[in-house]
Amino acid sequence: MRMHWTIIAGLAVALAMPAKAQQKTGLAAAADAMGATTLASIQYTGSGSVFSFGQAFEPGQRWPLFVQRAYTASVDYLAPGMRLVQVRSQGEHPPRGGGAQAVGADQRTVQVVSGKFAWQEGGPQAVPNSAAAQDRLLQMWTTPHGVIKAAEANAASVTGNTITFKLDGREVKATLNAQNLVEKVSYLSTNEVIGDYPIEIAYTDYADFGGVKFPRHIVQNEDGFPTLDIAVSEVKPNAVVSVDVPANVRNAPPPAPLRPTVDKLADGVWAFTTPNARNWAVEMADHVVVVEGIGSEARSLAVMDEIAKVIPNKPIRYVINTHAHYDHSGGLRTYPAKGVTVVTHEMNKPCFEKVWARPRTIAPDLLSKSPRPLMFETVSDKKVMTDGTRTIELYYMKGTSHNMYNLLVYLPNEKLVYWGDGYNPPDGNDPRDTARTPEQMIDLYRVITQNKLDVKTIAPAHGAGPKPYENLLKAIGLIPL
Ligand SMILES: [Zn+2]
């Protein structure tokens, strides 16, 4: 334990007795060692690697890597608020996994939180996203000095070198090293696919920046694999940080409940679209097949309401899952919660069974509140689902770089195709997706041509649609624009 002596300059020698030793312990010692007490704000900059959580190439493997060209966090502990500027570029060569690979030009994102408000900067005006405020504040209060301040404000307990407190109902643990500097912070987060999962942040290689100690190496792990690994190059204690809430963010109405727009793709085939997510319902003789449990439980319930309107009086019996990325399977559990059979690649079944059995204490869902037996049908290379009239064909997208166990959905009579990822048709007349290079679009084209599919219309999971199939061919340069 580091000792702190009260010494009044010039009087120390004159005193008959030495000044009484004041040995600060626990939180106070950490605050002193870190230089947290007089720190009202901080800005730190680094670079390294960033990884796309929930977008692994293969279920259970590490998150895909991107280059983090820049990472600048500006924290105002008093507001409280934080602005996080990140610039990323392609990290996997060749592309491997999701997270909107392969990145073309560098992508810059600016995320801000200020109290209960959150927004995105970088466009012509701020884009409100106050649903993200809770997570971003948690991120802010788990920075090296933030965690000390949050512990002080939330009646933390200290046992040995471990500080424990509750923030927003979640337990946060901070571990101190031998110099009383914060070396690790951990807490539980939640995700629709995997339920409760651990976030662990390691702060190492401390240096002094104008009396304030700050780690020069930050590694964040989420559910066992890194999501961030940066070397810190510059630290400015008490930097000027402005997180004033823009008027359009302050006055933004609360987000409306999700209501999908409904498009009829063909007789008995419907698409349900919410911002950046689409799925289908296919009417069979005596039941409904849903294509993709994309998004969240809230979205799946909203889609079920719409399905009941366009295909009344037929039960949903199957839900097809293209792949196990968390955006595509976030709303999948809602279906088995209603007794619906999940159709997925055979290699995804054990993964879903494993992660769906995990605890969900932070955000219980329908299936965790009322568990019921899971029913799966699996696909190896190809599967045909038919009622004699309508046919759905599922193809294993072997050899694609987006995800190891990915399915393509094809309706041969309607000449319709659905995929999870690869090409997201943009709005407007130019079919090129300029943010990405075409590797994964070419993968998609290869699977379609290898299986000799006769495609007329595409209405995939992301992007605008329905669109003509020619748009994919134009996007990869096979036919002129
Ligand atoms: Zn994906």
Side-chain angles (χ1 to χ4, degrees), residues 55 323 325 327-328 402 421:
Q55 298 290 318
H323 64 301
H325 283 168
D327 54 334
H328 291 263
H402 181 80
D421 283 292

Side-chain angles (χ1 to χ4, degrees), residues 25-332:
T25 56
L27 207 44
D32 264 12
M34 296 283 296
T37 314
T38 56
L39 195 69
S41 67
I42 196 164
Q43 181 178 307
Y44 54 96
T45 298
S47 61
S49 307
V50 65
F51 304 78
S52 209
F53 177 75
Q55 298 290 318
F57 173 64
E58 193 175 348
Q61 300 299 309
R62 70 166 177 84
W63 315 126
L65 163 84
F66 297 83
V67 176
Q68 185 79 291
R69 294 210 176 281
Y71 181 102
T72 299
S74 308
V75 184
D76 178 346
Y77 297 111
L78 303 177
M82 176 163 85
R83 173 178 287 96
L84 182 58
V85 182
Q86 298 181 84
V87 180
R88 70 164 200 171
S89 61
Q90 182 65 19
E92 308 264 3
H93 305 281
R96 190 176 155 90
Q101 298 192 45
V103 174
D106 282 2
Q107 293 171 343
R108 182 172 182 270
T109 57
V110 184
Q111 297 174 336
V112 195
V113 62
S114 184
K116 62 181 179 172
F117 299 102
W119 65 96
Q120 200 87 12
E121 290 177 355
Q125 71 166 2
V127 179
N129 182 18
S130 289
Q134 188 192 19
D135 275 352
R136 291 184 193 169
L137 282 179
L138 212 45
Q139 191 180 6
M140 196 211 109
W141 290 124
T142 49
T143 56
H145 297 83
V147 77
I148 296 293
K149 290 173 181 289
E152 286 172 330
N154 288 281
S157 67
V158 182
T159 310
N161 66 340
T162 304
I163 299 167
T164 309
F165 61 97
K166 282 221 160 171
L167 192 62
D168 240 343
R170 307 221 195 142
E171 187 179 83
V172 177
K173 267 189 198 312
T175 322
L176 305 178
N177 67 15
Q179 287 76 46
N180 277 326
L181 304 172
V182 176
E183 69 178 0
K184 194 175 138 190
V185 177
S186 57
Y187 62 100
L188 281 185
S189 192
T190 183
N191 171 272
E192 300 253 11
V193 180
I194 59 175
D196 298 354
Y197 72 93
I199 296 186
E200 294 172 334
I201 316 164
Y203 296 122
T204 54
D205 195 12
Y206 270 86
D208 189 284
F209 298 88
V212 167
K213 297 288 194 298
F214 203 85
R216 282 181 300 200
H217 191 193
I218 299 177
V219 178
Q220 178 156 334
N221 271 265
E222 297 191 39
D223 206 26
F225 297 106
T227 50
L228 182 74
D229 185 337
I230 56 163
V232 174
S233 53
E234 199 182 354
V235 178
K236 293 182 190 161
N238 292 315
V240 176
V241 175
S242 165
V243 286
D244 293 342
V245 182
N248 76 306
V249 173
R250 192 176 290 280
N251 301 325
L258 270 180
R259 172 109 348 133
T261 58
V262 183
D263 290 296
K264 187 174 181 178
L265 300 176
D267 272 346
V269 186
W270 305 85
F272 306 89
T273 307
T274 52
N276 202 33
R278 178 178 299 105
N279 71 334
W280 292 4
V282 182
E283 181 175 7
M284 308 299 272
D286 62 355
H287 65 275
V288 176
V289 177
V290 171
V291 178
E292 205 80 317
I294 194 169
S296 60
E297 181 163 278
R299 188 187 185 283
S300 290
L301 291 172
V303 164
M304 286 176 187
D305 284 348
E306 298 300 325
I307 292 174
K309 288 180 205 161
V310 294
I311 313 174
N313 304 317
K314 286 188 184 176
I316 300 170
R317 203 162 287 164
Y318 298 98
V319 58
I320 295 164
N321 163 255
T322 62
H323 64 301
H325 283 168
Y326 293 177
D327 54 334
H328 291 263
S329 47
L332 189 58

